[in-house]
Amino acid sequence: MDLLTWAKALVLGLVEGTTEFIPVSSTGHLILVGRWLSFEGEVAVTFDIVIQLGAILAVLWVERVKVVCSLTGCRTDPVARRFLLNVAIAFAPAAVLGLLIHDIITERFFDPVVVSASLVVGGMLILAVERWHRPPRTETVDDITPAQALGIGLAQTLALIPGVSRSGATIMGALGLGASRVAATEFSFFLAIPVMLAATGYELMGSLDLYSPELVPVFAIGFGVSFVSALLVVRAFLGFVKKHTFVPFAWYRIVFGGVLLASYWT
């Protein structure tokens, strides 16, 4: 592998880490940037899986206290037990639907035009939710109800379409169901852990034959950059949502997606 490939790995790792947990669609950005860098094919798909694992590790590290306390206290602590149940409830819809239509989505929707259109539509939906969502009545992730968790899980199924954004769908779903911005964001982080582990595990099972010793440095660069950048973004994003709305992300999506659509049409 040459230095150019290593540079591409660094850029894509940075893209994954900085976009995975904010509502702009990491998958969509990886598809677009991978196309621009001519980094595509089966190896690129496997690389994307590896750098997603780096992002998962970052959010696990940031939320390690809550994760450990919930897992160890679920037998005796009703709050921890309800939290884990809510995560499971929210995880189920996307897990089931993803297994059923995974191949269809991969074959038909991993396209720059679909991603660009999804960015625009998703941005408009964020503006709509920000304008009309109900006042928050759920202040923390521990206050989320099973009914809200199911609604968030159903909203997450929209993110099976590249460009929609898993974090965007779950945060907006939670916000629309009465969660505070902080609770919606934190629950999206926790929900990302089983969702991304399941998705990457499923993909890895079909990609093991693509691994080779020469790919190790490339994967290591992407993984490391994804981990560090995601670590910084998760912490900064939590601080941002305490004082600001998600409107800037909506306009970013609309402008970026609109420019991309215009370029493809012309």
Side-chain angles (χ1 to χ4, degrees), residues 141-161:
V141 290
D142 290 330
D143 298 324
I144 289 175
T145 66
Q148 286 176 312
L150 178 60
I152 295 168
L154 292 173
Q156 183 175 234
T157 61
L158 297 174
L160 292 171
I161 301 173

Side-chain angles (χ1 to χ4, degrees), residues 97-179:
L97 189 59
L99 284 173
L100 293 175
I101 64 173
H102 173 270
D103 292 340
I104 296 174
I105 291 172
T106 303
E107 292 170 4
R108 301 184 182 181
F109 292 97
F110 274 62
D111 177 83
V113 174
V114 173
V115 170
S116 303
S118 298
L119 285 169
V120 174
V121 173
M124 292 178 176
L125 290 174
I126 291 175
L127 291 177
V129 172
E130 281 285 7
R131 183 177 180 85
W132 289 297
H133 74 86
R134 66 182 67 180
R137 65 180 190 276
T138 304
E139 293 298 328
T140 72
V141 290
D142 290 330
D143 298 324
I144 289 175
T145 66
Q148 286 176 312
L150 178 60
I152 295 168
L154 292 173
Q156 183 175 234
T157 61
L158 297 174
L160 292 171
I161 301 173
V164 170
S165 171
R166 188 209 58 79
S167 60
T170 53
I171 291 172
M172 290 303 108
L175 203 63
L177 291 168

Side-chain angles (χ1 to χ4, degrees), residues 224-243:
V225 172
S226 174
F227 170 77
V228 174
S229 55
L231 198 66
L232 296 174
V233 167
V234 165
R235 288 173 171 166
F237 189 45
L238 278 173
F240 177 89
V241 299
K242 292 177 181 178
K243 301 178 180 179

